Structures are given as structure tokens and as C-alpha cells.
Amino acid sequence: MSAAAISAEADTYEQKARELLNALTPTLPWEQRFHVEDQAEDLRERARSIRTRVNNSIEHIRSYYGLNLRVGLEVKHEGRPGTIVGFAGQYVAVQHEGDDTYVVRHATSQMEYPEGTQVGPDPDERFAHLVQVPAAARTDEK
């Protein structure tokens, strides 16, 4: 599922919660009112959960691999240009130029990132060899 679809799903839950709450009338019995409010809170919790999972994926990739990624970032996967369209754990969804669908790949598996993508001094040293950033971005080479 692409980031746009995931975001749309969270937005849909929020919209349904708003609609439920907007439909409440003062003449509704308290029992029904509480039931509707509970349903709305459940929908809002689903939306928060979706957004939290996406943010946690981005943060995991940043802290563990030293990569500052975002939806819309131009990358290369297996040498083919593409764009990041989503996240899931340590995986990124990449849509290659000209393709209708995206592929889900590990953040370090045959991925090339543009200059400035690497953050901090370095990624976790156990995985530094897996992160490919153009030579111009590496300042420690002499």
C-alpha cells in the first residue's frame, strides 16, 4: 500500500469520526450518545495508529541505518530511478519511473540515495557498508 493510500485510510477514519460526532443531537439518549462517542474514539485511534506506524518506520530507518528518508525522495533501486512512495518497518516502497505499481525493498538492499540523505556521523557501523550514497556526499574521503 502506498503512502498516499495509507494516509488516505487514516484521513478516512478521521472523517468518519467527525461525521459521527456531527450527527449527535441533544435529544439522543445518553446511552446512544456514549456509544457513538466510543465509536468515534475508536476510529480516531485507528487513524493515530496508522500515522504512528509510518512515523516509526521512518524513525527506525533514520536511527538504525543513518538515512533521512521521506515520501517523494528520488532514489535508485537496482540502478533504476524511482521515487519513495511509502514505508513499512525497515522497508521502503519504491515506484520506478514508468511503472504503475511499486516494489517494497529493504532500505539498504540495492538502494542508492541522493547526496544529503545520510544523517548523523554515520549509520550504525554494522550496516554502514550497506548504505550507498554518492561519493560527493562522503566528506571523510581524502
Side-chain angles (χ1 to χ4, degrees):
M1 185 178 279
S2 73
I6 292 169
S7 180
E9 183 180 10
D11 292 343
T12 299
Y13 286 135
E14 286 284 349
Q15 178 62 32
K16 286 180 182 178
R18 277 193 297 277
E19 289 171 3
L20 280 173
L21 294 173
N22 287 339
L24 287 176
T25 62
T27 58
L28 255 159
W30 284 106
E31 189 175 285
Q32 287 179 345
R33 187 177 187 87
F34 288 145
H35 179 69
V36 169
E37 289 172 350
D38 285 345
Q39 285 179 316
E41 184 54 35
D42 286 345
L43 291 168
R44 286 188 167 151
E45 180 55 37
R46 286 183 187 180
R48 281 191 297 271
S49 176
I50 289 168
R51 290 186 178 107
T52 298
R53 282 194 314 265
V54 170
N55 290 336
N56 286 346
S57 293
I58 293 168
E59 178 57 27
H60 172 75
I61 291 169
R62 189 195 68 72
S63 65
Y64 207 65
Y65 301 108
L67 295 169
N68 188 21
L69 305 182
R70 60 177 163 64
V71 169
L73 182 68
E74 300 292 325
V75 297
K76 285 187 179 180
H77 173 255
E78 296 179 341
R80 291 183 60 199
T83 305
I84 293 178
V85 295
F87 298 92
Q90 68 263 27
Y91 297 89
V92 294
V94 178
Q95 185 163 1
H96 292 118
E97 289 180 6
D99 289 356
D100 293 332
T101 59
Y102 59 88
V103 293
V104 177
R105 296 293 182 254
H106 192 274
T108 61
S109 179
Q110 301 180 19
M111 297 291 295
E112 295 178 46
Y113 296 100
E115 185 175 340
T117 304
Q118 195 166 333
V119 296
D122 287 311
D124 185 313
E125 63 185 40
R126 295 173 292 170
F127 304 102
H129 66 286
L130 298 173
V131 179
Q132 297 178 15
V133 180
R138 295 186 225 131
T139 58
D140 58 338
E141 292 184 19
K142 305 220 185 259

